[in-house]
Amino acid sequence: AQSVTQPDIHITVSEGASLELRCNYSYGATPYLFWYVQSPGQGLQLLLKYFSGDTLVQGIKGFEAEFKRSQSSFNLRKPSVHWSDAAEYFCAVGAYEKLTFGQGTILTVHP
Amino acid sequence: GAVVSQHPSRVICKSGTSVKIECRSLDFQATTMFWYRQFPKQSLMLMATSNEGSKATYEQGVEKDKFLINHASLTLSTLTVTSAHPEDSSFYICSVLPGQGKETQYFGPGTRLLVL
Protein backbone atom coordinates (compact mmCIF):
# COMPACT_ATOMS: atom_id res chain seq x y z
CA ALA A 1 0.00 0.00 0.00
CA GLN A 2 1.18 3.50 -0.68
CA SER A 3 1.88 5.89 2.16
CA VAL A 4 3.31 9.34 2.75
CA THR A 5 5.13 10.65 5.81
CA GLN A 6 5.70 14.28 6.56
CA PRO A 7 7.92 14.18 9.66
CA ASP A 8 7.45 17.81 10.63
CA ILE A 9 4.01 18.74 11.92
CA HIS A 10 4.86 22.41 12.41
CA ILE A 11 7.74 24.53 11.14
CA THR A 12 8.45 28.14 11.98
CA VAL A 13 10.78 30.29 9.89
CA SER A 14 11.58 33.96 9.64
CA GLU A 15 10.56 35.90 6.59
CA GLY A 16 13.36 35.81 4.05
CA ALA A 17 14.83 32.59 5.39
CA SER A 18 15.09 29.44 3.34
CA LEU A 19 12.63 26.60 3.76
CA GLU A 20 12.67 22.86 3.34
CA LEU A 21 9.65 20.66 4.03
CA ARG A 22 10.29 16.96 4.16
CA CYS A 23 8.28 14.23 2.52
CA ASN A 24 8.97 10.50 2.41
CA TYR A 25 6.84 8.05 0.54
CA SER A 26 6.31 4.36 0.18
CA TYR A 27 5.16 3.10 -3.17
CA GLY A 28 5.66 -0.06 -5.13
CA ALA A 29 6.46 1.49 -8.47
CA THR A 30 7.51 4.83 -9.88
CA PRO A 31 5.28 7.27 -8.09
CA TYR A 32 3.54 10.38 -9.16
CA LEU A 33 4.34 12.95 -6.48
CA PHE A 34 2.61 16.18 -5.62
CA TRP A 35 2.84 19.10 -3.25
CA TYR A 36 -0.33 21.02 -2.41
CA VAL A 37 -0.83 24.07 -0.21
CA GLN A 38 -3.92 24.81 1.85
CA SER A 39 -4.76 28.14 3.43
CA PRO A 40 -7.11 28.07 6.45
CA GLY A 41 -10.63 27.09 5.48
CA GLN A 42 -9.70 26.71 1.83
CA GLY A 43 -9.23 23.91 -0.64
CA LEU A 44 -5.90 22.70 -1.92
CA GLN A 45 -3.80 24.45 -4.53
CA LEU A 46 -1.29 22.50 -6.57
CA LEU A 47 2.27 23.78 -6.09
CA LEU A 48 4.12 21.29 -8.25
CA LYS A 49 4.21 17.69 -9.39
CA TYR A 50 6.66 15.03 -10.50
CA PHE A 51 5.79 12.35 -12.99
CA SER A 52 9.10 11.55 -14.69
CA GLY A 53 12.20 13.15 -16.17
CA ASP A 54 14.21 15.83 -14.43
CA THR A 55 14.19 15.09 -10.72
CA LEU A 56 14.22 18.77 -9.79
CA VAL A 57 10.85 20.28 -10.51
CA GLN A 58 9.84 23.89 -10.39
CA GLY A 59 6.46 25.02 -9.19
CA ILE A 60 4.47 28.13 -8.60
CA LYS A 61 5.27 30.84 -6.05
CA GLY A 62 9.01 30.13 -6.24
CA PHE A 63 8.80 26.60 -4.84
CA GLU A 64 10.81 23.64 -6.07
CA ALA A 65 11.06 20.01 -5.08
CA GLU A 66 13.58 17.29 -5.69
CA PHE A 67 12.73 13.64 -6.22
CA LYS A 68 15.32 11.28 -4.73
CA ARG A 69 14.48 7.71 -5.49
CA SER A 70 17.25 6.28 -3.31
CA GLN A 71 15.85 8.09 -0.29
CA SER A 72 12.17 7.78 -1.25
CA SER A 73 11.91 11.49 -0.69
CA PHE A 74 10.32 14.47 -2.38
CA ASN A 75 11.27 17.49 -0.29
CA LEU A 76 9.86 20.92 -0.98
CA ARG A 77 12.14 23.96 -0.92
CA LYS A 78 11.99 27.69 -1.24
CA PRO A 79 15.07 29.93 -1.02
CA SER A 80 13.34 32.90 0.59
CA VAL A 81 10.02 32.62 2.40
CA HIS A 82 7.39 35.35 2.28
CA TRP A 83 4.80 36.00 4.96
CA SER A 84 2.10 34.96 2.50
CA ASP A 85 3.58 31.45 2.38
CA ALA A 86 2.16 30.73 5.83
CA ALA A 87 -0.22 27.82 5.29
CA GLU A 88 -0.41 24.07 5.54
CA TYR A 89 1.49 21.99 3.02
CA PHE A 90 0.57 18.50 1.94
CA CYS A 91 2.69 16.00 0.09
CA ALA A 92 0.80 13.35 -1.85
CA VAL A 93 1.64 10.24 -3.82
CA GLY A 94 -0.57 8.64 -6.38
CA ALA A 95 -0.99 6.82 -9.59
CA TYR A 96 -3.96 6.09 -11.77
CA GLU A 97 -6.11 8.61 -9.96
CA LYS A 98 -5.88 7.66 -6.30
CA LEU A 99 -3.98 10.09 -4.09
CA THR A 100 -2.64 9.39 -0.64
CA PHE A 101 -1.79 12.44 1.44
CA GLY A 102 0.70 12.99 4.19
CA GLN A 103 -0.38 14.45 7.50
CA GLY A 104 0.58 17.94 6.46
CA THR A 105 3.11 20.48 7.71
CA ILE A 106 1.94 23.78 9.09
CA LEU A 107 4.25 26.63 8.17
CA THR A 108 4.39 29.73 10.35
CA VAL A 109 6.34 32.73 9.11
CA HIS A 110 7.68 35.29 11.56
CA PRO A 111 8.29 38.86 10.38
CA GLY B 1 -5.02 24.56 -13.67
CA ALA B 2 -8.66 23.69 -13.55
CA VAL B 3 -11.33 25.70 -11.76
CA VAL B 4 -13.54 23.82 -9.35
CA SER B 5 -16.36 25.24 -7.27
CA GLN B 6 -18.29 23.89 -4.33
CA HIS B 7 -21.62 24.95 -2.94
CA PRO B 8 -22.36 25.76 -0.24
CA SER B 9 -19.10 26.87 1.31
CA ARG B 10 -20.53 26.49 4.78
CA VAL B 11 -23.65 24.81 6.10
CA ILE B 12 -25.15 24.30 9.54
CA CYS B 13 -27.92 21.78 9.97
CA LYS B 14 -29.83 19.97 12.66
CA SER B 15 -29.12 16.39 13.53
CA GLY B 16 -31.22 13.99 11.45
CA THR B 17 -31.51 16.20 8.39
CA SER B 18 -29.84 15.64 5.02
CA VAL B 19 -27.39 17.99 3.39
CA LYS B 20 -26.41 18.17 -0.27
CA ILE B 21 -23.04 19.50 -1.37
CA GLU B 22 -22.34 20.32 -5.01
CA CYS B 23 -19.03 20.12 -6.80
CA ARG B 24 -18.73 21.73 -10.22
CA SER B 25 -15.97 21.65 -12.77
CA LEU B 26 -16.18 25.07 -14.38
CA ASP B 27 -13.81 24.92 -17.30
CA PHE B 28 -13.61 21.34 -18.48
CA GLN B 29 -15.49 18.08 -18.46
CA ALA B 30 -14.54 15.63 -15.78
CA THR B 31 -15.46 11.99 -16.01
CA THR B 32 -13.97 11.43 -12.58
CA MET B 33 -14.42 13.42 -9.41
CA PHE B 34 -13.32 12.61 -5.90
CA TRP B 35 -14.76 13.37 -2.48
CA TYR B 36 -12.49 13.83 0.51
CA ARG B 37 -13.11 14.46 4.16
CA GLN B 38 -10.80 16.44 6.39
CA PHE B 39 -11.07 16.57 10.16
CA PRO B 40 -9.53 19.50 12.03
CA LYS B 41 -5.75 19.46 11.96
CA GLN B 42 -5.74 16.22 9.97
CA SER B 43 -5.02 15.21 6.44
CA LEU B 44 -7.46 14.51 3.66
CA MET B 45 -9.04 11.10 3.54
CA LEU B 46 -10.53 9.87 0.31
CA MET B 47 -14.17 8.92 0.76
CA ALA B 48 -15.22 7.92 -2.72
CA THR B 49 -14.54 8.19 -6.41
CA SER B 50 -17.39 9.55 -8.48
CA ASN B 51 -17.66 8.42 -12.07
CA GLU B 52 -20.01 10.07 -14.51
CA GLY B 53 -22.86 7.81 -15.47
CA SER B 54 -22.01 5.01 -13.09
CA LYS B 55 -22.05 4.17 -9.41
CA ALA B 56 -19.49 5.73 -7.13
CA THR B 57 -16.68 3.66 -5.68
CA TYR B 58 -16.43 4.00 -1.92
CA GLU B 59 -13.33 3.57 0.20
CA GLN B 60 -13.29 0.99 2.92
CA GLY B 61 -15.18 2.11 5.99
CA VAL B 62 -17.27 4.75 4.21
CA GLU B 63 -21.00 4.09 4.39
CA LYS B 64 -22.41 4.39 0.90
CA ASP B 65 -25.98 4.66 2.19
CA LYS B 66 -25.01 7.59 4.37
CA PHE B 67 -22.89 9.45 1.86
CA LEU B 68 -24.83 9.39 -1.39
CA ILE B 69 -22.91 10.45 -4.46
CA ASN B 70 -24.42 11.36 -7.78
CA HIS B 71 -22.40 12.27 -10.86
CA ALA B 72 -25.12 13.01 -13.34
CA SER B 73 -23.12 15.16 -15.73
CA LEU B 74 -19.54 15.76 -16.76
CA THR B 75 -19.41 18.96 -14.75
CA LEU B 76 -21.39 18.19 -11.62
CA SER B 77 -21.09 15.73 -8.76
CA THR B 78 -23.13 15.90 -5.58
CA LEU B 79 -22.52 14.47 -2.14
CA THR B 80 -25.55 14.07 0.10
CA VAL B 81 -24.98 13.43 3.77
CA THR B 82 -28.13 11.63 4.85
CA SER B 83 -29.49 11.77 8.40
CA ALA B 84 -26.53 13.83 9.49
CA HIS B 85 -25.19 13.54 13.02
CA PRO B 86 -22.68 15.69 14.91
CA GLU B 87 -19.88 13.24 14.12
CA ASP B 88 -20.40 14.00 10.43
CA SER B 89 -19.28 17.56 11.04
CA SER B 90 -16.20 18.02 8.94
CA PHE B 91 -14.64 19.78 5.97
CA TYR B 92 -15.63 18.11 2.71
CA ILE B 93 -13.50 18.74 -0.35
CA CYS B 94 -14.02 17.57 -3.88
CA SER B 95 -11.48 17.27 -6.64
CA VAL B 96 -11.66 16.64 -10.36
CA LEU B 97 -9.49 14.72 -12.74
CA PRO B 98 -9.48 16.34 -16.17
CA GLY B 99 -9.72 13.64 -18.75
CA GLN B 100 -8.23 10.27 -19.44
CA GLY B 101 -4.57 9.76 -18.66
CA LYS B 102 -4.28 12.94 -16.69
CA GLU B 103 -2.93 12.40 -13.21
CA THR B 104 -3.34 15.78 -11.59
CA GLN B 105 -6.32 16.41 -9.36
CA TYR B 106 -7.64 19.92 -8.93
CA PHE B 107 -9.47 20.73 -5.75
CA GLY B 108 -12.52 22.74 -4.86
CA PRO B 109 -12.53 25.28 -2.02
CA GLY B 110 -14.28 22.89 0.36
CA THR B 111 -17.54 22.86 2.32
CA ARG B 112 -17.62 23.19 6.07
CA LEU B 113 -20.45 21.13 7.54
CA LEU B 114 -21.56 21.61 11.13
CA VAL B 115 -24.27 19.34 12.47
CA LEU B 116 -25.91 20.48 15.67
Side-chain angles (χ1 to χ4, degrees), chain B residues 30-92:
Chain B
T31 55
T32 304
M33 295 185 177
F34 302 89
W35 286 97
Y36 293 83
R37 184 173 181 176
Q38 186 180 29
F39 289 106
K41 301 190 183 303
Q42 294 190 25
S43 187
L44 282 77
M45 298 299 293
L46 179 65
M47 298 175 65
T49 302
S50 170
N51 298 295
E52 188 269 337
S54 63
K55 290 183 178 180
T57 303
Y58 290 82
E59 295 300 301
Q60 190 173 10
V62 178
E63 300 176 60
K64 61 181 180 181
D65 294 330
K66 181 166 187 64
F67 298 100
L68 301 179
I69 292 173
N70 183 279
H71 193 157
S73 78
L74 290 171
T75 59
L76 174 64
S77 175
T78 61
L79 168 68
T80 301
V81 184
T82 62
S83 186
H85 291 284
E87 58 265 30
D88 298 324
S89 299
S90 190
F91 193 53
Y92 293 88

Side-chain angles (χ1 to χ4, degrees), chain A residues 23-69:
Chain A
C23 172
N24 293 97
Y25 68 90
S26 173
Y27 192 73
T30 300
Y32 294 150
L33 294 159
F34 306 83
W35 275 100
Y36 287 89
V37 60
Q38 183 180 36
S39 297
Q42 301 296 315
L44 275 70
Q45 181 182 21
L46 179 69
L47 285 176
L48 47 77
K49 60 190 176 186
Y50 172 79
F51 289 170
S52 65
D54 192 346
T55 56
L56 183 64
V57 293
Q58 303 297 321
I60 62 171
K61 303 185 180 185
F63 285 93
E64 66 177 27
E66 186 171 12
F67 169 57
K68 293 186 177 181
R69 184 187 301 274

Side-chain angles (χ1 to χ4, degrees), chain A residues 83-110:
Chain A
W83 64 266
S84 61
D85 293 324
E88 188 162 16
Y89 292 79
F90 290 95
C91 180
V93 62
Y96 303 105
E97 305 174 354
K98 185 169 182 175
L99 283 182
T100 299
F101 286 86
Q103 287 298 102
T105 298
I106 297 172
L107 174 65
T108 298
V109 180
H110 281 171

Side-chain angles (χ1 to χ4, degrees), chain B residues 15-35:
Chain B
S15 184
T17 61
S18 295
V19 175
K20 180 185 285 187
I21 302 170
E22 293 184 347
C23 175
R24 292 184 183 274
S25 174
L26 299 181
D27 54 357
F28 63 89
Q29 295 180 331
T31 55
T32 304
M33 295 185 177
F34 302 89
W35 286 97

